DNA sequence: TATTGTTATACTCTATAACTATA
DNA sequence: TATAGTTATAGAGTATAACAATA
């Protein structure tokens, strides 16, 4: 077990968590109002839009966005129903499903992106100097890479339920 | 409408969102396993534990943690059922409800905190230098204050639903 | 045997609207 | 009239476990 965090660490941690919570909430509201999308759905579409041939396998698509297979199956199903992606078998691996973004999906991402960016700028970037931005980008990129490399640590102890479960 | 974000801004934004998502997920898992709490519930208890007389009104308690009144009523009800808080009328304002953390609630926060901190340190602070920590803390504190001061902007356009709604 | 993905199911969280009571 | 809080209800998200098919 480790020592307690210094107060500075604790304040930093809470400021980070609260800020991103507020930002996430604002972004969700915008995406929902402007494009009928959740943030997770936006992320999935954005990843597909950036992918080499505008398509990825379910497993590739899940990475970092969703934390359970079934969750992704569910979201992919919703996006498919909405005509934003298609799903088909992979020629290379018969087990895999290839998810491809449609023209409608690309159009929706394009439609929603400017406003999304506007929200991020208003909430996150407005109070930052150029130096702050460089710092923050450098730090959070390093943190993200570190976190991605962490072993899952699938719960040190047995699971319990939250009150009310 | 604003210009597109510089690529550096976009990368920073995504790195921030993904990092905190991973951190949040890890923290939730820990809290659930170790104390049977969600992160929201932990936040509520932590706020009460720090409050002047270990109690706050519902409105004070909601601030920044929860985005709807009914959501807080629900969570407070769960915590009360679990014996972690009590609710009673306020002497100063008959409309208000005072939420007080119990000894069991304080004990649970104390039990859970070291491991919580350990998770935050392992994922967030390990890859950071002291200078990084100072930078990040200073920046995120400023960002949080800025966000708190933002007007709600209750959805620029009419609401729609996500696919599948 | 391990991996990919789906299905069924259950539960948690959240939000909206209608309502009560007090300021 | 405005504010504090609760209730009822419905919807959206997520996770677990069991399953089918392929590597």
């Amino acid at each position: 077990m480790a020592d307690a965090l210094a107060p500075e660490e604790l304040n930093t941690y809470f400021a980070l968590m609260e800020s991103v919570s507020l930002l996430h909430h604002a972004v969700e509201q915008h995406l929902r109002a402007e494009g009928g999308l959740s943030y997770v759905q936006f992320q999935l579409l954005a990843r597909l839009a950036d992918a080499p041939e505008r398509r990825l396998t379910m497993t590739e698509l899940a990475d970092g966005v969703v934390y359970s297979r079934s969750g992704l199956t569910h979201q992919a199903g919703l996006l498919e129903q909405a005509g934003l992606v298609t799903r088909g078998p992979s020629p290379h691996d018969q087990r895999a499903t290839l998810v491809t973004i449609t023209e409608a999906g690309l159009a929706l991402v394009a439609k929603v992106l400017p406003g999304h960016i506007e929200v991020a700028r208003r909430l996150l970037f407005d109070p930052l100097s150029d130096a702050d931005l460089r710092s923050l980008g450098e730090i959070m990129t390093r943190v993200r890479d570190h976190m991605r490399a962490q072993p899952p640590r699938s719960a040190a102890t047995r699971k319990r339920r939250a009150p009310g479960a």
Side-chain angles (χ1 to χ4, degrees), chain A:
Chain A
M1 191 60 66
D3 307 290
L5 289 179
E8 190 173 3
E9 290 179 303
L10 210 49
N11 290 336
T12 300
Y13 169 64
F14 284 134
L16 179 67
M17 295 293 271
E18 183 179 340
S19 297
V20 172
S21 172
L22 290 166
L23 180 55
H24 185 268
H25 189 253
V27 158
E28 283 257 334
Q29 279 201 312
H30 167 263
L31 287 173
R32 201 76 73 163
E34 197 70 16
L37 293 172
S38 69
Y39 182 64
V40 165
Q41 290 164 353
F42 169 79
Q43 279 181 290
L44 296 175
L45 292 180
R47 285 200 176 202
L48 289 169
D50 264 2
E53 299 186 56
R54 291 173 173 175
R55 62 191 189 188
L56 294 170
T57 66
M58 293 291 281
T59 297
E60 290 166 343
L61 189 52
D63 180 46
V65 176
V66 148
Y67 302 96
S68 75
R69 288 186 168 316
S70 62
L72 179 56
T73 296
H74 181 233
Q75 291 300 332
L78 296 179
L79 294 175
E80 189 176 40
Q81 276 177 41
L84 303 172
V85 306
T86 59
R87 280 187 288 185
S90 164
H92 305 302
D93 184 336
Q94 296 286 47
R95 296 171 302 182
T97 297
L98 275 179
V99 184
T100 308
I101 190 168
T102 64
E103 288 302 319
L106 289 168
L108 183 56
V109 171
K111 174 190 172 191
V112 144
L113 201 49
H116 187 143
I117 283 168
E118 164 67 13
V119 172
R121 169 169 297 144
R122 177 165 50 81
L123 265 56
L124 178 63
F125 294 116
D126 267 7
L128 300 186
S129 69
D130 288 354
D132 291 334
L133 175 62
R134 273 195 303 281
S135 268
L136 184 62
E138 199 277 316
I139 289 172
M140 293 317 293
T141 301
R142 186 143 34 86
V143 167
R144 179 184 56 190
D145 293 346
H146 170 77
M147 287 186 184
R148 282 179 173 170
Q150 287 290 303
R153 283 278 181 125
S154 47
T157 63
R158 72 249 169 250
K159 291 203 179 175
R160 273 201 263 162
R161 301 185 116 93

